[in-house]
Amino acid sequence: MAHHEHAARPWSRARWGLAALVFVVVATLNSAGYRFGVGDQAFYLPAIERHLEPDSFPRDRVIIDDQDRLNVFPRVAAALVRATGVPQPALFLGIYAAALLLLCLAARALAEHLGLAPWAQLAFMAALTLKHRVGQTGANTLEGYGHPRMLAFAIGLAAVVALLRARPGTAIALVGTAFVVHPTTALWFGVWVGAALIAGESRMRPWLIGAAGLAAIVAAWVIGWGPLSAQWIRMDEAWLAVLAGKDYLFATDWPADMWALAVLYVTVPAAAFALRRRLGVTQPREGPMLVGLAALALIFAATLPLVAARVALAVQFQVSRVFWMLDLTATVYAVWALAEAGRRMPGETARNRRAAAVACVLICLAAGRGAWVMWVEHPGRPVVAVGLPQNAWHDAMTWLRSQPLATQVLADPSHAWRNATSVRVAAGRDVYLEEVKDTAMAMYSRRVALRVAERIGAMGDFNRLTPASARALADRFGLDVLVTEHALDLPLAYRNSRFSIYRLRP
């Protein structure tokens, strides 16, 4: 009996604190380390700069502002930087750490409310450090940089935990907070939490249904006559051609294996809940939580005809990202099934042995995979890089940052992934084309898509540029300087060990 009481005793805060620290470290390793200025920060950092310095990016503001116009986060971040003087690298490192810690705490709280023992909770946390793309969607379960979407997801998960704990006001407030950070991620949590509250809170149901009706009216106005009305159009061939490489945008084009995975995402939580109900281990409000997930799946299915018709707004909302929420829920139920479901031996001791074994396997798998990703797939990369890498590219960008704000740069269109950061981020200057990010941002605007298509067509092969063709591009697009690793017969403005910067106009 004494041993049973010891096994059933909750773990101390110190033990969970250590587990949270290990979670952050292992998640970072599985993300190939933490870096600044990469990924979607190629949009967020210039957008913040636009709010700090309105005269910045005089030519590229058409790209930046079309995506930024309905975002709150860049405005809030710029205000915070202006008021406190906190450097942007420190700000995004804080966002990264906060997102991982909140995700860890919310995930453990979710597992605890579902009745998982401490070792099973630890197993769930370990499983979440295994970064992966969610099917063929545009979402990764983790990112190796500070991303508002990750923070919004963690806040949204905390909202789900709040509704499970019968704190509807807190759940709604957390969803509202997530809207400030990343609106579309918060939208899906709003659906999840809202549907769950309507299903599970009978006393609030009339008010919630009324609020949902009002929200539907507002949404209809926003889409039909308001800020998003211009997006209620079909994408034409010219627009779609720029998005051809973005396989995550069009769920109707998914291959059969992705549809099979989508079915698993839906059926695993449903089957696990049915099993738990038969075993008598379901928890309060667990059923309504599944109702909220079902609402997400139904919205995805309902929008498929619009995606098939290439309606811009349906494509831009990337409704397939709801599978990120289903992925996490399927994971917690899979861990429960491995660690605790169908056990026959009575008592807490047997339960803990099985859960501990599952946790140890998952921890070893996560740590081993993280070590492989960090030191085999990406040898030489630091585990944490708070600022931009100090190399020849950064040196060239530092020189460009000293040039007038109106300077427009011609560089290899693939410069961002080749050199780990873009001209807009590292130099704060307009760039002719940043192919990966510009084609992604073209999703939000036909005029941006046509601009990108024109520039891709006019460029040809960057490595075959001649002085004459570079000057022709400069005359056509108002370019000022060329950054290249090739020697060209053009006026030299700056040179380091790797890059030369040539002037294209007097």
Side-chain angles (χ1 to χ4, degrees):
M1 179 62 70
H3 182 80
H4 172 79
E5 291 174 355
H6 174 75
R9 189 180 306 146
W11 287 7
S12 67
R13 290 185 178 180
R15 185 180 293 190
W16 284 121
L18 178 61
L21 178 62
V22 173
F23 176 92
V24 172
V25 172
V26 176
T28 301
L29 295 179
N30 274 278
S31 302
Y34 171 82
R35 294 185 293 164
F36 173 74
V38 301
D40 284 352
Q41 287 184 1
F43 157 71
Y44 283 105
L45 290 170
I48 293 170
E49 189 66 27
R50 284 275 295 123
H51 294 292
L52 290 171
E53 175 51 74
D55 293 332
S56 61
F57 303 107
R59 294 181 177 92
D60 287 351
R61 63 183 55 176
V62 62
I63 294 181
I64 298 166
D65 292 356
D66 269 8
Q67 184 174 350
D68 184 47
R69 60 196 176 98
L70 296 179
N71 271 300
V72 179
F73 172 80
R75 294 167 174 78
V76 173
L80 184 62
V81 170
R82 188 183 295 111
T84 66
V86 60
Q88 292 188 49
L91 173 65
F92 277 91
L93 178 61
I95 290 171
Y96 177 79
L100 283 184
L101 285 171
L102 183 55
L103 177 64
C104 174
L105 295 174
R108 189 189 82 80
L110 174 66
E112 181 182 40
H113 186 87
L114 293 178
L116 276 67
W119 277 109
Q121 297 169 33
L122 195 64
F124 177 46
M125 293 161 61
L128 292 185
T129 65
L130 294 166
K131 176 187 174 180
H132 59 276
R133 182 182 179 185
V134 181
Q136 199 166 303
T137 71
N140 295 317
T141 57
L142 296 172
E143 297 289 358
Y145 57 95
H147 197 316
R149 183 175 68 229
M150 285 299 309
L151 181 57
F153 185 89
I155 296 170
L157 185 59
V160 173
V161 172
L163 80 86
L164 289 172
R165 289 176 171 172
R167 297 173 183 171
T170 301
I172 294 170
L174 286 169
V175 170
T177 303
F179 263 102
V180 175
V181 180
H182 196 267
T184 52
T185 300
L187 174 64
W188 308 131
F189 275 104
V191 172
W192 187 1
V193 169
L197 287 175
I198 290 173
E201 301 291 337
S202 58
R203 290 180 299 177
M204 296 181 62
R205 191 170 297 146
W207 296 99
L208 291 168
I209 291 175
L214 179 61
I217 293 172
V218 172
W221 175 83
V222 169
I223 294 171
W225 300 274
L228 297 179
S229 59
Q231 305 305 314
W232 194 249
I233 58 173
R234 294 184 65 176
M235 293 177 159
D236 58 22
E237 291 302 320
W239 193 349
L240 291 170
V242 178
L243 306 177
K246 309 301 180 183
D247 62 351
Y248 54 86
L249 293 178
F250 307 107
T252 49
D253 295 342
W254 283 351
D257 58 344
M258 178 54 220
W259 279 109
L261 181 58
V263 170
L264 278 178
Y265 278 139
V266 174
T267 56
V268 167
F273 178 73
L275 176 59
R276 286 166 59 83
R277 187 164 55 182
R278 191 168 72 244
L279 294 173
V281 296
T282 55
Q283 301 296 315
R285 297 172 182 80
E286 184 177 348
M289 182 187 76
L290 271 291
V291 171
L293 283 177
L296 290 175
L298 288 173
I299 289 176
F300 168 75
T303 57
L304 284 176
L306 298 176
V307 174
R310 302 306 191 246
V311 174
L313 190 62
V315 174
Q316 292 160 358
F317 266 87
Q318 299 185 63
V319 186
S320 61
R321 285 184 176 177
V322 301
F323 286 103
W324 190 6
M325 293 78 181
L326 288 157
D327 177 283
L328 181 137
T329 312
T331 300
V332 71
Y333 279 126
V335 167
W336 167 78
L338 289 170
E340 300 185 9
R343 57 184 182 274
R344 291 290 179 263
M345 289 184 293
E348 197 74 22
T349 301
R351 180 188 191 191
N352 274 274
R353 284 175 180 170
R354 179 172 165 182
V358 172
C360 288
V361 169
L362 285 172
I363 290 169
C364 290
L365 175 62
R369 180 177 180 267
W372 175 271
V373 169
M374 191 74 243
W375 292 296
V376 178
E377 292 185 351
H378 301 277
R381 178 182 291 183
V383 175
V384 176
V386 177
L388 297 175
Q390 301 299 305
N391 52 25
W393 174 256
H394 182 266
D395 175 74
M397 296 301 102
T398 300
W399 184 87
L400 284 172
R401 189 172 279 277
S402 69
Q403 302 306 296
L405 280 177
T407 300
Q408 185 173 198
V409 181
L410 175 61
D412 186 334
S414 61
H415 65 270
W417 70 263
R418 288 182 182 276
N419 301 292
T421 190
S422 71
V423 170
R424 294 188 190 108
V425 169
R429 296 297 178 268
D430 292 316
V431 66
Y432 172 81
L433 183 66
E434 200 270 89
E435 196 163 9
V436 173
K437 181 48 61 178
D438 288 2
T439 53
M441 291 195 288
M443 170 181 61
Y444 296 100
S445 169
R446 184 179 184 274
R447 65 172 177 168
V448 170
L450 295 181
R451 167 189 160 125
V452 171
E454 179 188 19
R455 295 188 174 211
I456 291 175
M459 165 69 72
D461 185 350
F462 177 84
N463 293 315
R464 293 186 179 181
L465 277 179
T466 65
S469 61
R471 286 196 177 101
L473 283 173
D475 291 340
R476 180 176 173 183
F477 295 99
L479 307 174
D480 298 292
V481 295
L482 165 65
V483 182
T484 180
E485 296 180 70
H486 303 292
L488 295 174
D489 185 17
L490 289 167
L492 183 67
Y494 185 78
R495 174 177 288 162
N496 61 31
S497 59
R498 182 180 168 194
F499 293 99
S500 297
I501 303 179
Y502 298 103
R503 296 198 183 278
L504 294 175
R505 296 196 295 179

